[in-house]
Amino acid sequence: MTLQDITKLAQKGEGLHVEFKKKAAHPEKIVKEMIAMANTDGGYLLLGVDDDGTVSGQRYIEEEVYAMDKAIKELIHPPMLVERSILAINQKKGVAIYKILKSNDAPHFTLEEKKRKAYVRVADRSIQASREMWEIMKRKKSPKNVIFKYGKKEELLMKALATQPYITLKEFMAMARIPVYIASRTLVKLVLANVLEIIPQESEDKFITKANHLYL
């Protein structure tokens, strides 16, 4: 990737596939962005880029890269394949480019207070993956036909989605009068069966039909 390529990428601003940082001041936080991209659709992390997208570079970029490489190796589970390169923009400063591929080993996660936390990318933000999103990512690694019984709760769900754009886990629980684990399992199965689609959110994930995706 050339300096011109990096500049064009940075000028578009942060988004689903791009995140940039001036320096690796808190590598334990930056790895969450990388995890989110790997768990979603891949992307680029750029070190040495200002908040406004200016590719100003960073002095001692090798030290920044050392800190990031160490964090990637020690904090991301399972191990994640990342392509890294360094580009000098003058005699003193450089930019580090991390290319993160969409992973076949998702969900990747990091440990926070001994708890496993996975992240996904939503627009220009990285948010913690819900239990349902985690389960969907895990089960997509071994794709197979999903068999489910189309019963009363599924019928209520589809009727609701015929009159509203989306439904949340809590709404489904209340409407069908079922425990959280049954509601969660049902929604996950319907996503895996390609009947529904999950839209991750910071508060509550939205579950929609494929047709409703056009209107969100």
Side-chain angles (χ1 to χ4, degrees):
M1 188 176 283
T2 66
L3 179 58
Q4 185 177 15
D5 294 331
I6 297 170
T7 301
K8 284 183 179 179
L9 199 59
Q11 284 176 346
K12 293 178 181 178
E14 293 180 322
L16 183 66
H17 302 105
V18 180
E19 179 80 22
F20 40 76
K21 302 290 183 185
K22 177 61 178 173
K23 59 187 297 183
H26 299 283
E28 73 282 357
K29 294 181 180 180
I30 300 175
V31 293
K32 295 178 185 178
E33 313 285 359
M34 305 178 86
I35 286 171
M37 287 183 181
N39 284 341
T40 307
D41 199 39
Y44 291 92
L45 171 74
L46 308 176
L47 281 181
V49 177
D50 299 338
D51 289 340
D52 63 359
T54 301
V55 185
S56 57
Q58 179 64 36
R59 296 189 70 178
Y60 312 114
I61 190 64
E62 290 82 6
E63 294 181 10
E64 305 292 323
V65 166
Y66 176 81
M68 277 309 309
D69 287 356
K70 186 172 185 290
I72 291 167
K73 183 178 179 180
E74 296 178 356
L75 303 180
I76 298 177
H77 312 278
M80 197 170 80
L81 180 63
V82 176
E83 297 176 11
R84 187 258 292 158
S85 58
I86 299 174
L87 180 68
I89 60 174
N90 57 42
Q91 290 183 338
K92 295 183 178 180
K93 294 183 178 182
V95 178
I97 307 100
Y98 288 86
K99 182 179 180 181
I100 302 111
L101 302 177
K102 181 178 180 179
S103 179
N104 293 322
D105 295 322
H108 293 277
F109 62 90
T110 187
L111 292 173
E112 297 177 41
E113 297 178 354
K114 297 184 179 180
K115 292 183 179 180
R116 299 189 303 172
K117 292 189 178 181
Y119 293 84
V120 292
R121 194 79 174 166
V122 178
D124 60 349
R125 296 173 294 119
S126 296
I127 66 173
Q128 188 176 337
S130 65
R131 178 171 48 188
E132 290 71 36
M133 190 70 225
W134 183 301
E135 185 67 16
I136 289 164
M137 287 190 288
K138 184 174 71 174
R139 292 180 62 178
K140 277 186 175 179
K141 287 193 291 187
S142 303
K144 57 183 178 181
N145 292 332
V146 177
I147 300 172
F148 65 93
K149 183 180 177 181
Y150 193 84
K152 184 178 178 180
K153 61 182 180 298
E154 288 83 6
E155 184 179 353
L156 286 170
L157 175 64
M158 299 312 292
K159 281 184 177 179
L161 287 172
T163 60
Q164 62 192 64
Y166 65 86
I167 197 165
T168 65
L169 174 63
K170 288 181 181 178
E171 288 172 343
F172 181 39
M173 285 171 54
M175 178 189 67
R177 297 181 180 180
I178 53 178
V180 62
Y181 76 93
I182 292 179
S184 175
R185 187 173 61 191
T186 301
L187 291 169
V188 167
K189 281 186 177 181
L190 290 171
V191 170
L192 292 170
N194 211 32
V195 175
L196 297 182
E197 185 173 349
I198 184 171
I199 309 296
Q201 302 288 308
E202 282 190 273
S203 52
E204 285 189 90
D205 293 344
K206 297 177 180 179
F207 292 86
I208 65 172
T209 61
K210 296 292 183 178
N212 281 346
H213 182 80
L214 298 174
Y215 301 102
L216 286 184

